[in-house]
Amino acid sequence: MKKLENKPEGFAPPLGDMPATDFRRYGHEIVDWISDYLERSADRPVLAPVSPGDFRLQIPAAPPSKGEAMDEILADIDRLIVPALTHWNHPAFFAYFSISASAPGIFGELLCAAFNVNQMLWRTSPAATELEEVALAWLGQMMGLPAEFAGIIYDTASVSTMHALAAAREQLNLQIREDGMSGRANLPLLRVYASEQAHSSIEKAVITLGLGQRALRKIPTSADYSMNVAALIQAVEEDRREGVLPFCVVATVGTTSTTSIDPVPAIADVCVQHNLWLHVDAAYAGSAAIVPEMRSVLDGCDRADSLVTNPHKWLFTPLDISLLYCRRMDVLRRAFSLVPEYLRTDEADTVRNQMDYGVQLGRRFRALKLWMVVRYFGHEGLAERIREHCRLARLFAGWVEESPNWELLAPVPFSLVCFRACPTVEKESEETRRVRLNKLNEQIMQGVNQTGEAFLSHTSLDGVFTLRLAIGNIRTTEAHTQRTWHVLNEQFKRLSELGLKMTPDANLTHSISAHVELP
Ligand SMILES: *Cc1c(COP(=O)(O)O)cnc(C)c1O
């Protein structure tokens, strides 16, 4: 590929920003473009068909010395950027947790960029600061959280959880804010507990906070991949006996691999008994609690000290926005507040200055997009969409269960299906079978993803390669789900036939072909 050169003849706008007439013209053009892009979101391959470095080769290595015309820049969005994107807006994006930039959310982002408010102090952003409190309260009501929870908005669940653990540690009153943790003989090992299925962000939080990875004790899970509370109790008691200081449990509602739900009421009991901070990671599944008949997924969470949920995951709000609810905002403040003279304001005692509640000083006006999404769809409209995603997941799970070629690998409490192809071969050891099926399912996934029609990702459950179909995009319909099931079966058939050619074993040939059925 030939490297493009910057045009030698630049175009030079007058001092100041883009002229208003141009802004208006290109603004309309861009909105039209976005509208077409979203309407045709299914027309492009979901997964960008590019190799590492392909994209970069097409962009000049040096920045332009003179300005370039907006027309040219926009043409390059179409020509260069879009073909090298993985399309998260595609309705057959089923990998990881699929997400949505809904139209009101996109408008919220646009306005946020235009206002360019820095929400560090109430004074620098009265509407933004107070709208954040409103957005937190609204979503809290929709999820059925008690009114005592206040909160703060960060970018991601990883950052929210890191702050929750910092507050949990601050509450121990061990002078860690002042003295740190290194070089101190008077500090025991501090311990955080989370299940083996908990998100890696918990481990990153203990790394970041200087607690170290050994501070995190991973508790085994039961058959449904939820935390085994008996094992938690045993671990806490053992640690206490050995002079370790337990201080926090992270329970997950909707784990990342399987969306399993830890038994929060029982975990809350343990936390009360041992005086531990309970943080709930509901990054994905917290949104489901806005559906009245699913509210019970947050049972016990009213007793948590903190809880995180991400509207950018399953509440149709564009990246990024994560809500940290906390009962003890005073503790969070104590952990982080540091006010230099140039940021002192008269009203500091009567308002929430958000810079006091975390690492960052400057912050974006993230609540705006969430507020617009909630207003546009309404509580019922949002619940209806989440309910539909859960219906589609159950439908898909039903197809998996009915087919002799496939099996479910975990319960389906929300909109994620964990499954695999499982053709049988006679007289095979368990280990040989596991290895064979792992390979087959990995190839099926690659095959599906290469078609560009759908994008699935995987996880590993007890060493078993597990396909994940995560439904969560606002445009996903039954037709996309059905089509993906078909593509999966086509890949299954293709690979089974390939397997036949390569295996002379008659038994194998017979047993695989006997089980291939297309929907
Ligand atoms: C996605 C997810 C996270 C991480 O979210 P980020 O906002 O990307 O940091 C944490 N926990 C769970 C359960 C998740 O599903």
Side-chain angles (χ1 to χ4, degrees), residues 97 155-159 161 197-202 252-256 281-285 308 310 312-313 319-322:
F97 281 120
D155 52 358
T156 56
S158 305
V159 168
T161 291
Q197 292 290 321
H199 192 263
S200 52
S201 56
I202 323 291
T252 310
V253 173
T255 56
T256 311
D281 180 358
Y284 156 75
V308 59
N310 277 5
H312 76 222
K313 271 217 169 121
L319 276 167
D320 47 18
I321 179 166
S322 176

Side-chain angles (χ1 to χ4, degrees), residues 454-465:
F455 180 24
L456 271 70
S457 62
H458 77 283
T459 190
S460 174
L461 297 173
D462 307 319
V464 168
F465 189 95

Side-chain angles (χ1 to χ4, degrees), residues 456-483:
L456 271 70
S457 62
H458 77 283
T459 190
S460 174
L461 297 173
D462 307 319
V464 168
F465 189 95
T466 303
L467 297 169
R468 290 171 76 265
L469 180 104
I471 299 172
N473 184 272
I474 199 163
R475 286 178 195 79
T476 302
T477 65
E478 190 169 325
H480 302 112
T481 317
Q482 170 84 51
R483 176 67 201 161

Side-chain angles (χ1 to χ4, degrees), residues 393-448:
R394 282 194 301 272
L395 190 68
F396 186 92
W399 299 333
V400 170
E401 277 187 306
E402 281 162 26
S403 166
N405 300 328
W406 303 86
E407 65 182 353
L408 286 183
L409 294 174
V412 183
F414 300 105
S415 66
L416 170 77
V417 186
C418 289
F419 65 106
R420 70 166 172 178
C422 58
T424 35
V425 169
E426 282 155 34
K427 292 194 216 114
E428 188 183 34
S429 77
E430 211 167 292
E431 181 56 14
T432 314
R433 174 177 155 83
R434 192 181 62 82
V435 172
R436 174 177 60 87
L437 292 183
N438 280 1
K439 192 159 166 235
L440 172 68
N441 281 280
E442 186 165 7
Q443 287 172 335
I444 289 174
M445 183 179 81
Q446 285 164 352
V448 169

Side-chain angles (χ1 to χ4, degrees), residues 34 38 82 191 222 235 278 306 346 348 354 436 490:
I34 293 173
L38 292 176
V82 174
R191 193 81 92 184
S222 311
L278 174 57
S306 55
D346 300 337
Q354 284 158 330
R436 174 177 60 87
E490 279 177 342

